[in-house]
Amino acid sequence: MRAAAAALLPLLSRGFQLSPTSPLARVARSSSQLSMTIIDKPYGECESPITSKAMTAGSVGLGGVHYCNGDIYWLEGRPQEAGRNVLCKYAPESADKSERNGVDVSPKESNVRTRVHEYGGGAIVFGKNEDEIYYSEFATQRLCHLLKDGTSRPITEEGDTYRFADGVVSDDGEVIYAIREDHTNPEPKNVVNEVVSINVKDGSMKVLATGNDFYSNPRVNGNQLAYITWNHPNMPWDATELRVLTLDSTSNKSSEHELIAGSDGDTSIIQPLFHPETGDLFYISDESGYYNIYRKGSDESILPMKEYDFGGASPGWQFGQQAYTFLNDGRLAAQYSKNGKSVLVVANVSDSSKVASDVVEFGSKDGLPMMFGGVHPGEGDDLYFLGGSPSTASSIYKWNLQSKGEASILACSSELSFDDDLISVPKLVEFPTTLGTAFGYYYAPKNGKYTCTTESAPPLLVKAHGGPTSCTGTSFNAGKQYWTSRGFAILDVDYGGSTGYGRDYRRRLRKSWGVVDIDDVCAGAEYLVKEGFADGDRLCIDGGSAGGYTTLGALAFRDVFKAGTSLYGIGDLTALAGDTHKFESRYLDGLVGQYPEEEDLYKERSPIESVDTLSCPILLLQGVEDKVVPPNQAEM
């Protein structure tokens, strides 16, 4: 642990000159730094150009990168347009291009978004040709065909009964295979999820797989269709099955389709994909203790990096996630995270009887950004993906596998640009906690114009991510740099239960939400105080959704933090158990216990039941249209 603390010292010395009593002062400043004219101010009182107004100006969300017939497409979420999602195409030569070098492809009145599972994803369906693009329209949830003249034609029936996601187009372009969520009876327990085929001409539908609570990832190869399925109370990261049906099958019951993986009822199988040349079926499984890539018919993962997760940052939360792909020459390309940085793995998997060969890794030394994912092959050896770094907002990159060199940014999610002496670069840290070791990213105070000689350590903001089965990221986040540039330190905690550290770590929250996560955010703060990297009298915490629950719990049940902010957080677990959507309606069974059988435990871990122990300022923020965490959680 001391080694981890020592690694933080270079970060903490930049931009702030510290009191001689601080352990950080052991790091010598260069003569050029000492010659700078800097202002001596207490931590937290520095002025910064990273303002709340600057944080929201011109920023958009980017996702869904796709290459089709020489064009690069992406999905753009625009806060300035009431959160409307727009399908865009890279067109740097167009007179109508945006500041992101793109033009709108979806109709101007459309909102490209599906509400399946409420979290959506997989709202766009690409065929082989540019006239085979389909999308879910948010207002009606109908599946629409995008026409060449910029308009669209609904292909599914009118009404808001059905929702669609995660579709693929048949080889002949006549059928879409997709997930359908039926809200004929909108009570969560009565919502029906199935795999269906949809005729693109007349919208007629046929149910291909039914009988289970959830479905995802329909993927087709000739006459075969593979899909993932699971039942309550499991979530997709708990236990799923990979099954395959033949398209001429007379049965649509999942129980009668071939079971490929997940027979033990305790393994998470995700992201199946057929090899375009060999037809072999690949998938990701956590049977080894980590999300590794497997080939149907083999019990051994195909890549040698067996103690790393290949599932992506937050597998299972949204449709359309794919942590690996196949290149134009048939090689596998996959991404995983190592020591806080993304690594691209390329390997030959053409021999169906063997594990991968000619395995090569690429990273930041080869010109790739610090974090990236969703790799999509273009022409030749060109790759396109979404990525970023602590100083670069989420962006769409192009990188060539042969020539390498610095990846070029095609579109950036933010117009913000700040000097390096304002940007705090996070460091992955490990710290002791009740179940062993936990992880987080430490951001030191950073502002080259200021120093602090009167205080030995900065105030600390601890951040708890949502999910809770998710993880934090390290791409540029103006909300974090807002604080660090003013003299605050930040610890962004990947508490027990987070993804990216293997199955055992992810399962630490089983029956222990409201215990393990709170232990870890408190332990992280106390560790930094002990090591001299944070002021124990100025510790605060914030988090959104599940992170808001951890925030409220830490303030209600512990005496570590002096203030906190809960963004659409959960205060009453009993209310959440009976008032949420189908996808998460049994999530708490695994995180807390069965309800109402274990109602006492729900009340024991509900911050609303311990308001008398709250003795510090709390800010509660809530969205009135939130379907995941209802507004009543903030109104109690």
Side-chain angles (χ1 to χ4, degrees):
M1 298 302 172
R2 290 287 176 178
L8 296 177
L9 291 174
L11 292 177
L12 290 160
S13 67
R14 300 171 190 155
F16 283 92
Q17 183 175 331
L18 302 165
S19 165
T21 62
S22 168
L24 311 181
R26 293 178 299 204
V27 181
R29 297 173 60 87
S30 68
S31 58
S32 61
Q33 286 177 305
L34 292 173
S35 65
M36 293 172 58
T37 302
I38 53 179
I39 303 169
D40 195 341
K41 270 195 173 185
Y43 286 117
E45 296 185 12
C46 305
E47 296 180 0
S48 169
I50 306 178
T51 63
S52 57
K53 183 177 180 179
M55 286 163 54
T56 57
S59 297
V60 301
L62 296 178
V65 179
H66 190 89
Y67 179 88
C68 180
N69 286 323
D71 289 315
I72 300 102
Y73 295 86
W74 66 83
L75 196 60
E76 203 167 278
R78 298 175 179 172
Q80 302 87 349
E81 299 180 30
R84 188 169 77 97
N85 289 334
V86 181
L87 180 62
C88 301
K89 180 172 69 174
Y90 184 61
E93 305 302 324
S94 173
D96 298 323
K97 69 177 181 180
S98 68
E99 57 272 23
R100 290 168 294 281
N101 293 314
V103 294
D104 293 0
V105 175
S106 53
K108 63 179 181 179
E109 70 278 4
S110 291
N111 187 356
V112 183
R113 178 183 168 190
T114 177
R115 290 187 59 188
V116 179
H117 290 183
E118 294 299 342
Y119 292 102
I124 308 170
V125 184
F126 287 94
K128 293 183 177 181
N129 304 309
E130 63 179 354
D131 59 350
E132 294 178 352
I133 301 177
Y134 306 86
Y135 69 92
S136 288
E137 171 56 52
F138 180 69
T140 63
Q141 288 301 293
R142 299 174 75 181
L143 199 60
C144 299
H145 183 195
L146 184 62
L147 304 177
K148 289 184 177 181
D149 63 1
T151 63
S152 64
R153 176 184 66 85
I155 63 172
T156 54
E157 63 187 50
E158 190 173 359
D160 57 1
T161 296
Y162 294 137
R163 304 173 182 180
F164 304 91
D166 210 7
V168 292
V169 180
S170 61
D171 288 340
D172 60 14
E174 295 182 358
V175 174
I176 294 174
Y177 303 102
I179 304 303
R180 185 181 72 181
E181 192 170 79
D182 184 354
H183 287 253
T184 299
N185 189 333
E187 287 293 318
K189 66 179 180 180
N190 295 320
V191 171
V192 177
N193 294 69
E194 298 167 314
V195 180
V196 300
S197 64
I198 307 165
N199 186 294
V200 300
K201 293 181 180 179
D202 60 20
S204 59
M205 289 182 274
K206 178 183 178 182
V207 177
L208 301 178
T210 188
N212 289 341
D213 291 322
F214 298 100
Y215 293 86
S216 71
N217 299 87
R219 300 295 180 259
V220 67
N221 179 59
N223 196 40
Q224 290 184 308
L225 187 142
Y227 63 88
I228 299 295
T229 184
W230 68 98
N231 286 306
H232 281 314
N234 289 314
M235 300 297 286
W237 43 84
D238 293 324
T240 62
E241 295 177 344
L242 169 59
R243 290 185 177 268
V244 172
L245 63 86
T246 56
L247 293 175
D248 56 5
S249 172
T250 58
S251 174
N252 61 14
K253 296 179 180 179
S254 286
S255 59
E256 298 180 5
H257 297 158
E258 183 184 4
L259 177 60
I260 305 300
S263 60
D264 64 355
D266 193 38
T267 300
S268 173
I269 314 294
I270 58 175
Q271 302 176 16
L273 195 63
F274 287 101
H275 193 284
E277 295 178 0
T278 66
D280 289 343
L281 178 58
F282 290 76
Y283 58 92
I284 294 178
S285 168
D286 71 352
E287 62 185 84
S288 69
Y290 292 86
Y291 273 130
N292 293 159
I293 303 174
Y294 292 80
R295 189 199 320 255
K296 176 188 174 183
S298 174
D299 295 330
E300 183 179 1
S301 60
I302 62 172
L303 293 174
M305 304 83 179
K306 301 184 187 302
E307 294 189 356
Y308 292 95
D309 279 334
F310 281 88
S314 302
W317 279 107
Q318 288 189 311
F319 293 99
Q321 297 173 321
Q322 197 71 48
Y324 66 99
T325 188
F326 297 107
L327 304 181
N328 296 321
D329 59 8
R331 286 183 295 170
L332 173 83
Q335 175 270 330
Y336 73 97
S337 181
K338 181 178 182 181
N339 299 325
K341 295 183 179 181
S342 293
V343 179
L344 175 68
V345 182
V346 176
N348 185 344
V349 293
S350 59
D351 190 336
S352 299
S353 64
K354 298 180 180 179
V355 297
S357 61
D358 305 319
V359 180
V360 184
E361 293 186 332
F362 304 91
S364 54
K365 62 180 176 55
D366 301 295
L368 290 167
M370 180 175 174
M371 299 296 295
F372 59 89
V375 175
H376 203 97
E379 290 294 324
D381 292 308
D382 288 339
L383 301 179
Y384 299 93
F385 48 84
L386 197 65
S389 73
S391 60
T392 306
S394 183
S395 301
I396 297 170
Y397 287 83
K398 177 182 178 181
W399 185 77
N400 188 275
L401 189 58
Q402 289 300 320
S403 60
K404 304 181 184 62
E406 196 74 16
S408 56
I409 294 178
L410 304 184
C412 184
S413 63
S414 176
E415 299 176 37
L416 293 177
S417 179
F418 299 103
D419 294 337
D420 288 344
D421 65 0
L422 279 172
I423 302 300
S424 179
V425 177
K427 181 74 175 181
L428 180 64
V429 295
E430 303 177 14
F431 53 87
T433 187
T434 51
L435 293 182
T437 299
F439 305 89
Y441 288 91
Y442 182 82
Y443 294 75
K446 184 71 178 292
N447 190 323
K449 294 183 179 180
Y450 294 91
T451 186
C452 179
T453 62
T454 59
E455 298 173 342
S456 60
L460 176 72
L461 171 61
V462 173
K463 302 188 78 66
H465 64 71
T469 313
S470 184
C471 64
T472 187
T474 57
S475 291
F476 174 77
N477 185 306
K480 295 174 186 175
Q481 303 295 339
Y482 174 95
W483 293 106
T484 56
S485 63
R486 284 168 169 77
F488 280 76
I490 285 180
L491 178 64
D492 205 353
V493 181
D494 272 340
Y495 46 77
S498 299
T499 55
Y501 303 90
R503 181 169 67 179
D504 288 345
Y505 194 81
R506 192 175 74 242
R507 290 185 173 182
R508 283 188 183 182
L509 276 191
R510 284 193 168 183
K511 309 295 184 182
S512 297
W513 193 34
V515 179
V516 168
D517 51 318
I518 295 174
D519 283 348
D520 290 357
V521 294
C522 292
E526 292 170 333
Y527 168 74
L528 292 176
V529 170
K530 180 181 178 181
E531 297 297 332
F533 301 121
D535 184 346
D537 292 326
R538 293 184 291 173
L539 302 178
C540 47
I541 183 171
D542 73 15
S545 192
Y549 167 70
T550 301
T551 294
L552 292 172
L555 296 174
F557 306 137
R558 307 296 170 83
D559 188 25
V560 174
F561 300 101
K562 305 301 182 183
T565 298
S566 169
L567 298 93
Y568 42 93
I570 299 156
D572 187 349
L573 291 176
T574 60
L576 185 67
D579 188 15
T580 191
H581 55 111
K582 179 186 176 182
F583 179 63
E584 292 185 274
S585 62
R586 299 289 299 279
Y587 191 13
L588 296 186
D589 284 27
L591 292 174
V592 181
Q594 291 189 348
Y595 187 85
E597 293 86 344
E598 298 179 82
E599 183 177 1
D600 289 345
L601 185 57
Y602 276 68
K603 290 185 176 181
E604 178 184 326
R605 296 188 192 172
S606 294
I608 194 67
E609 300 287 339
S610 299
V611 292
D612 56 326
T613 63
L614 292 171
S615 59
C616 66
I618 303 175
L619 175 63
L620 303 177
L621 301 174
Q622 175 66 45
V624 296
E625 297 182 6
D626 195 334
K627 301 297 184 182
V628 177
V629 180
N632 62 10
Q633 289 288 338
E635 296 168 350
M636 296 172 181

